[in-house]
Short mmCIF file of all heavy atoms in Angstrom, two decimals:
data_model
loop_
_atom_site.label_atom_id
_atom_site.label_comp_id
_atom_site.label_asym_id
_atom_site.label_seq_id
_atom_site.Cartn_x
_atom_site.Cartn_y
_atom_site.Cartn_z
N LYS A 110 176.24 137.71 184.08
CA LYS A 110 174.85 137.42 183.74
C LYS A 110 174.69 136.03 183.22
O LYS A 110 175.53 135.65 182.42
CB LYS A 110 174.35 138.40 182.66
CG LYS A 110 174.65 139.86 182.93
CD LYS A 110 173.78 140.42 184.13
CE LYS A 110 174.06 141.94 184.20
NZ LYS A 110 173.23 142.54 185.32
N TYR A 111 173.69 135.40 183.66
CA TYR A 111 173.46 133.94 183.31
C TYR A 111 172.17 133.81 182.56
O TYR A 111 171.13 134.31 183.06
CB TYR A 111 173.43 133.05 184.49
CG TYR A 111 174.63 133.04 185.45
CD1 TYR A 111 174.75 133.98 186.46
CD2 TYR A 111 175.80 132.22 185.12
CE1 TYR A 111 175.87 134.03 187.20
CE2 TYR A 111 176.84 132.28 185.97
CZ TYR A 111 176.95 133.20 186.92
OH TYR A 111 178.10 133.24 187.79
N ILE A 112 172.19 133.06 181.42
CA ILE A 112 171.05 132.77 180.60
C ILE A 112 170.89 131.33 180.58
O ILE A 112 171.78 130.64 179.81
CB ILE A 112 171.10 133.50 179.13
CG1 ILE A 112 171.30 134.95 179.29
CG2 ILE A 112 169.96 133.04 178.33
CD1 ILE A 112 171.57 135.70 177.92
N LEU A 113 169.86 130.73 181.09
CA LEU A 113 169.62 129.30 181.07
C LEU A 113 168.62 128.96 179.97
O LEU A 113 167.57 129.58 179.84
CB LEU A 113 169.08 128.93 182.44
CG LEU A 113 168.64 127.44 182.44
CD1 LEU A 113 169.81 126.51 182.41
CD2 LEU A 113 167.87 127.13 183.87
N VAL A 114 168.97 128.08 179.11
CA VAL A 114 168.12 127.57 177.98
C VAL A 114 167.72 126.18 178.35
O VAL A 114 168.48 125.28 178.43
CB VAL A 114 168.91 127.57 176.66
CG1 VAL A 114 167.90 127.13 175.59
CG2 VAL A 114 169.40 129.03 176.36
N ILE A 127 169.73 127.78 169.12
CA ILE A 127 169.17 128.94 169.80
C ILE A 127 170.02 129.51 170.82
O ILE A 127 170.31 130.73 170.81
CB ILE A 127 167.75 128.60 170.30
CG1 ILE A 127 166.80 128.45 169.12
CG2 ILE A 127 167.32 129.65 171.23
CD1 ILE A 127 165.47 127.67 169.36
N SER A 130 172.82 131.09 168.91
CA SER A 130 172.39 132.40 168.26
C SER A 130 172.18 133.50 169.22
O SER A 130 172.61 134.62 168.94
CB SER A 130 171.06 132.08 167.54
OG SER A 130 171.22 131.06 166.58
N ILE A 131 171.70 133.20 170.38
CA ILE A 131 171.61 134.25 171.46
C ILE A 131 172.96 134.80 171.89
O ILE A 131 173.17 136.01 171.95
CB ILE A 131 170.83 133.66 172.77
CG1 ILE A 131 169.36 133.51 172.43
CG2 ILE A 131 170.99 134.51 173.95
CD1 ILE A 131 168.59 132.58 173.38
N GLY A 132 173.90 133.85 172.03
CA GLY A 132 175.29 134.29 172.31
C GLY A 132 175.84 135.07 171.24
O GLY A 132 176.52 136.13 171.50
N ILE A 134 174.17 137.10 169.12
CA ILE A 134 173.55 138.40 169.11
C ILE A 134 174.25 139.27 170.23
O ILE A 134 174.53 140.44 170.04
CB ILE A 134 172.04 138.25 169.42
CG1 ILE A 134 171.39 137.74 168.10
CG2 ILE A 134 171.36 139.58 169.77
CD1 ILE A 134 169.97 137.24 168.33
N LEU A 135 174.45 138.70 171.45
CA LEU A 135 175.01 139.41 172.55
C LEU A 135 176.42 139.85 172.30
O LEU A 135 176.88 140.82 172.61
CB LEU A 135 174.89 138.67 173.87
CG LEU A 135 173.38 138.49 174.41
CD1 LEU A 135 173.33 137.56 175.51
CD2 LEU A 135 172.82 139.88 174.79
N CYS A 138 176.71 142.75 170.16
CA CYS A 138 176.48 144.00 170.86
C CYS A 138 177.74 144.43 171.72
O CYS A 138 177.72 145.41 172.51
CB CYS A 138 175.34 143.88 171.86
SG CYS A 138 173.78 143.52 171.07
N LEU A 140 179.57 142.43 173.91
CA LEU A 140 179.76 141.67 175.23
C LEU A 140 180.56 140.50 174.93
O LEU A 140 180.60 139.92 173.83
CB LEU A 140 178.35 141.31 175.74
CG LEU A 140 177.44 142.48 176.12
CD1 LEU A 140 176.00 141.98 176.33
CD2 LEU A 140 177.90 143.27 177.25
N ILE A 250 178.77 137.39 179.98
CA ILE A 250 177.53 136.64 179.85
C ILE A 250 177.85 135.08 179.78
O ILE A 250 178.77 134.73 179.02
CB ILE A 250 176.78 136.97 178.51
CG1 ILE A 250 176.57 138.51 178.46
CG2 ILE A 250 175.52 136.23 178.40
CD1 ILE A 250 175.30 139.02 178.97
N VAL A 252 175.99 131.66 178.72
CA VAL A 252 174.77 130.96 178.23
C VAL A 252 174.84 129.56 178.60
O VAL A 252 175.79 128.83 178.28
CB VAL A 252 174.67 131.11 176.69
CG1 VAL A 252 173.37 130.45 176.14
CG2 VAL A 252 174.54 132.56 176.18
N GLU A 281 168.21 140.23 188.41
CA GLU A 281 168.76 141.02 187.29
C GLU A 281 169.97 140.41 186.63
O GLU A 281 170.47 140.86 185.55
CB GLU A 281 169.09 142.46 187.74
CG GLU A 281 170.25 142.48 188.78
CD GLU A 281 169.71 142.38 190.21
OE1 GLU A 281 168.61 141.99 190.45
OE2 GLU A 281 170.53 142.72 191.11
N PHE A 283 169.92 136.78 186.08
CA PHE A 283 169.51 135.39 185.78
C PHE A 283 168.29 135.42 184.83
O PHE A 283 167.27 136.15 185.16
CB PHE A 283 169.27 134.53 186.96
CG PHE A 283 169.00 133.16 186.61
CD1 PHE A 283 169.91 132.13 186.39
CD2 PHE A 283 167.63 132.72 186.45
CE1 PHE A 283 169.66 130.83 186.08
CE2 PHE A 283 167.29 131.40 186.18
CZ PHE A 283 168.31 130.52 186.02
N CYS A 284 168.27 134.70 183.73
CA CYS A 284 167.17 134.76 182.80
C CYS A 284 166.98 133.35 182.26
O CYS A 284 167.90 132.66 182.04
CB CYS A 284 167.48 135.67 181.68
SG CYS A 284 166.43 135.77 180.27
N ASN A 285 165.68 132.95 182.15
CA ASN A 285 165.47 131.57 181.73
C ASN A 285 164.74 131.63 180.33
O ASN A 285 163.73 132.30 180.27
CB ASN A 285 164.60 130.82 182.75
CG ASN A 285 164.09 129.43 182.27
OD1 ASN A 285 163.14 128.91 182.66
ND2 ASN A 285 164.98 128.79 181.41
N ILE A 286 165.20 130.96 179.32
CA ILE A 286 164.58 130.84 178.01
C ILE A 286 164.11 129.35 177.88
O ILE A 286 164.93 128.48 177.99
CB ILE A 286 165.59 131.30 176.86
CG1 ILE A 286 166.01 132.70 177.09
CG2 ILE A 286 165.02 130.98 175.61
CD1 ILE A 286 167.08 133.16 176.18
N ASP A 320 161.36 133.52 181.19
CA ASP A 320 161.37 134.87 180.70
C ASP A 320 161.04 135.01 179.27
O ASP A 320 160.39 136.09 178.87
CB ASP A 320 162.68 135.58 181.10
CG ASP A 320 162.94 135.53 182.54
OD1 ASP A 320 162.27 136.30 183.28
OD2 ASP A 320 163.77 134.75 183.03
N LEU A 321 161.55 134.18 178.50
CA LEU A 321 161.17 134.02 177.06
C LEU A 321 160.76 132.67 176.71
O LEU A 321 161.36 131.69 177.19
CB LEU A 321 162.45 134.49 176.20
CG LEU A 321 162.89 135.89 176.21
CD1 LEU A 321 164.17 135.97 175.42
CD2 LEU A 321 161.85 136.88 175.59
N VAL A 323 160.56 130.37 173.51
CA VAL A 323 160.94 130.26 171.96
C VAL A 323 160.23 129.14 171.43
O VAL A 323 160.41 128.01 171.92
CB VAL A 323 162.52 130.18 171.85
CG1 VAL A 323 162.80 129.99 170.36
CG2 VAL A 323 163.21 131.37 172.37
N LEU A 365 165.86 136.02 165.52
CA LEU A 365 165.77 136.40 166.93
C LEU A 365 165.85 137.95 167.11
O LEU A 365 165.16 138.59 167.87
CB LEU A 365 166.90 135.77 167.81
CG LEU A 365 166.71 134.25 168.02
CD1 LEU A 365 167.98 133.67 168.58
CD2 LEU A 365 165.54 133.98 168.99
N GLY A 369 163.08 141.66 168.44
CA GLY A 369 163.30 142.43 169.59
C GLY A 369 164.07 141.96 170.71
O GLY A 369 163.96 142.37 171.88
N ILE A 370 164.92 140.95 170.52
CA ILE A 370 165.45 140.22 171.62
C ILE A 370 166.53 141.12 172.30
O ILE A 370 166.84 140.97 173.53
CB ILE A 370 166.05 138.76 171.22
CG1 ILE A 370 166.12 137.83 172.36
CG2 ILE A 370 167.40 138.86 170.45
CD1 ILE A 370 166.25 136.39 172.03
N ILE A 371 167.29 141.91 171.49
CA ILE A 371 168.34 142.79 172.09
C ILE A 371 167.67 143.74 173.06
O ILE A 371 168.22 143.92 174.18
CB ILE A 371 169.08 143.53 170.90
CG1 ILE A 371 169.86 142.52 169.99
CG2 ILE A 371 170.10 144.56 171.51
CD1 ILE A 371 170.45 143.17 168.90
N LYS A 372 166.64 144.40 172.66
CA LYS A 372 165.92 145.36 173.49
C LYS A 372 165.43 144.64 174.86
O LYS A 372 165.63 145.21 175.89
CB LYS A 372 164.66 145.96 172.83
CG LYS A 372 163.98 147.08 173.58
CD LYS A 372 162.84 147.65 172.74
CE LYS A 372 162.13 148.70 173.61
NZ LYS A 372 160.99 149.16 172.86
N TYR A 373 164.93 143.42 174.77
CA TYR A 373 164.43 142.70 175.85
C TYR A 373 165.69 142.40 176.83
O TYR A 373 165.44 142.64 178.04
CB TYR A 373 163.79 141.39 175.49
CG TYR A 373 163.25 140.56 176.62
CD1 TYR A 373 162.06 141.02 177.33
CD2 TYR A 373 163.97 139.53 177.20
CE1 TYR A 373 161.61 140.30 178.43
CE2 TYR A 373 163.55 138.87 178.31
CZ TYR A 373 162.41 139.24 178.98
OH TYR A 373 161.98 138.58 180.13
N PHE A 374 166.77 141.93 176.36
CA PHE A 374 167.83 141.54 177.17
C PHE A 374 168.40 142.81 177.82
O PHE A 374 168.84 142.81 179.03
CB PHE A 374 168.93 140.77 176.33
CG PHE A 374 168.69 139.37 176.21
CD1 PHE A 374 168.88 138.70 174.98
CD2 PHE A 374 168.26 138.55 177.31
CE1 PHE A 374 168.65 137.40 174.74
CE2 PHE A 374 168.01 137.19 177.22
CZ PHE A 374 168.22 136.60 175.94
N LYS A 375 168.43 143.85 177.12
CA LYS A 375 168.94 145.19 177.62
C LYS A 375 168.22 145.58 178.90
O LYS A 375 168.74 145.88 179.95
CB LYS A 375 168.88 146.19 176.54
CG LYS A 375 169.50 147.51 177.06
CD LYS A 375 169.38 148.61 176.01
CE LYS A 375 169.89 149.95 176.45
NZ LYS A 375 169.67 151.10 175.50
N GLN A 376 166.91 145.44 178.87
CA GLN A 376 166.00 145.79 179.96
C GLN A 376 166.00 144.77 181.07
O GLN A 376 166.26 145.09 182.28
CB GLN A 376 164.53 145.96 179.43
CG GLN A 376 164.46 147.25 178.54
CD GLN A 376 163.09 147.25 177.90
OE1 GLN A 376 162.36 146.36 177.93
NE2 GLN A 376 162.76 148.40 177.25
N ARG A 377 165.87 143.50 180.63
CA ARG A 377 165.68 142.37 181.64
C ARG A 377 166.99 142.13 182.43
O ARG A 377 166.94 141.88 183.64
CB ARG A 377 165.35 141.18 180.95
CG ARG A 377 165.30 139.85 181.71
CD ARG A 377 164.08 139.97 182.81
NE ARG A 377 164.04 138.69 183.52
CZ ARG A 377 164.96 138.43 184.53
NH1 ARG A 377 165.87 139.26 184.82
NH2 ARG A 377 164.90 137.32 185.21
N LEU A 378 168.13 142.21 181.79
CA LEU A 378 169.42 141.94 182.52
C LEU A 378 170.27 143.17 182.72
O LEU A 378 171.40 143.19 183.13
CB LEU A 378 170.22 140.97 181.62
CG LEU A 378 169.67 139.52 181.48
CD1 LEU A 378 170.47 138.72 180.52
CD2 LEU A 378 169.51 138.82 182.85
N ASN A 379 169.63 144.40 182.41
CA ASN A 379 170.35 145.65 182.64
C ASN A 379 171.73 145.74 182.01
O ASN A 379 172.68 146.04 182.66
CB ASN A 379 170.42 145.93 184.10
CG ASN A 379 170.71 147.34 184.48
OD1 ASN A 379 170.48 148.26 183.69
ND2 ASN A 379 171.41 147.56 185.65
N LEU A 380 171.67 145.43 180.71
CA LEU A 380 172.93 145.36 180.00
C LEU A 380 173.40 146.70 179.40
O LEU A 380 172.57 147.41 178.93
CB LEU A 380 172.76 144.30 178.74
CG LEU A 380 172.49 142.85 179.12
CD1 LEU A 380 172.24 142.07 177.86
CD2 LEU A 380 173.69 142.23 179.99
N PRO A 381 174.72 147.02 179.45
CA PRO A 381 175.16 148.22 178.94
C PRO A 381 175.45 148.21 177.41
O PRO A 381 176.58 148.29 176.91
CB PRO A 381 176.61 148.37 179.69
CG PRO A 381 177.02 146.98 179.86
CD PRO A 381 175.83 146.10 180.01
N ILE A 382 174.39 148.06 176.69
CA ILE A 382 174.48 147.96 175.21
C ILE A 382 173.47 148.82 174.53
O ILE A 382 172.54 149.39 175.08
CB ILE A 382 174.22 146.50 174.71
CG1 ILE A 382 172.75 145.99 175.25
CG2 ILE A 382 175.24 145.57 175.28
CD1 ILE A 382 172.35 144.56 174.73
N ASP A 384 170.56 149.48 171.51
CA ASP A 384 169.41 148.64 170.98
C ASP A 384 169.83 148.03 169.65
O ASP A 384 169.02 147.05 169.29
CB ASP A 384 168.14 149.53 170.83
CG ASP A 384 167.66 149.86 172.12
OD1 ASP A 384 167.99 149.31 173.19
OD2 ASP A 384 166.71 150.66 172.17
#
Side-chain angles (χ1 to χ4, degrees):
K110 310 288 184 181
Y111 301 91
I112 298 172
L113 175 66
V114 180
I127 286 162
S130 300
I131 287 163
I134 289 168
L135 294 171
C138 296
L140 297 167
I250 305 270
V252 180
E281 65 272 16
F283 182 87
C284 173
N285 176 211
I286 296 172
D320 295 287
L321 287 174
V323 177
L365 288 167
I370 205 165
I371 295 175
K372 186 180 177 184
Y373 179 79
F374 279 134
K375 183 183 177 182
Q376 292 171 349
R377 174 67 181 77
L378 295 173
N379 196 22
L380 298 174
I382 56 173
D384 287 351

